[in-house]
């Protein structure tokens, strides 16, 4: 619907320019739109490139809750390459939630 698209657009903006708390809230809400490519790509981009490990960890956790197999490639990169152990662990847990092992 139009309203959902508007809400999604706002969340995508907050993800890019909001303060940390707003961004974390936007990540959790955007995870509900994981079936939409634009939202999924924005979340994966934050997971793989955001400077703040807390933001990356939040994305890793939220993507796991989607149980969407399309997010597993990004999670696998985060699991093996993220410099922060908390992010790597969150990505690993999310992969288990999605792939079941």
């Amino acid at each position: 619907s139009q309203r959902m698209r508007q809400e999604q657009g706002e969340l995508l903006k907050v993800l890019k320019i909001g303060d940390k708390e707003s961004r974390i809230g936007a990540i959790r809400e955007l995870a509900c739109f994981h079936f939409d490519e634009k939202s999924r790509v924005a979340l994966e981009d934050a997971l793989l490139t955001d400077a703040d490990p807390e933001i990356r960890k939040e994305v890793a956790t939220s993507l796991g809750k989607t149980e969407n197999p399309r997010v597993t490639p990004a999670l696998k990169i985060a699991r093996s390459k993220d410099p922060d152990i908390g992010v790597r662990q969150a990505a690993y847990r999310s992969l288990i939630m999605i792939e079941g092992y």
Side-chain angles (χ1 to χ4, degrees), residues 61-73:
T61 301
S62 293
L63 288 177
K65 290 177 182 158
T66 69
E67 297 187 5
N68 182 343
R70 295 181 75 181
V71 302
T72 56

Side-chain angles (χ1 to χ4, degrees), residues 2-88:
Q2 179 74 42
R3 208 189 54 139
M4 270 177 80
R5 266 200 300 279
Q6 244 174 337
E7 184 190 339
Q8 188 186 358
E10 289 299 306
L11 290 168
L12 287 165
K13 248 182 269 176
V14 172
L15 177 62
K16 281 200 166 39
I17 60 173
D19 62 34
K20 186 167 180 165
E21 215 166 294
S22 309
R23 293 181 74 209
I24 286 175
I27 288 162
R28 290 176 184 161
E29 287 187 56
L30 277 168
C32 303
F33 293 101
H34 63 87
F35 48 82
D36 171 81
E37 191 160 6
K38 199 193 278 185
S39 293
R40 199 181 72 248
V41 167
L43 288 169
E44 291 173 346
D45 192 49
L47 172 64
L48 300 176
T49 65
D50 200 89
D52 187 334
E54 280 181 66
I55 294 285
R56 298 195 308 272
K57 185 176 176 182
E58 188 59 52
V59 178
T61 301
S62 293
L63 288 177
K65 290 177 182 158
T66 69
E67 297 187 5
N68 182 343
R70 295 181 75 181
V71 302
T72 56
L75 284 168
K76 284 177 177 170
I77 295 169
R79 183 192 65 193
S80 59
K81 299 213 159 62
D82 198 281
D84 185 271
I85 188 164
V87 178
R88 293 196 304 271

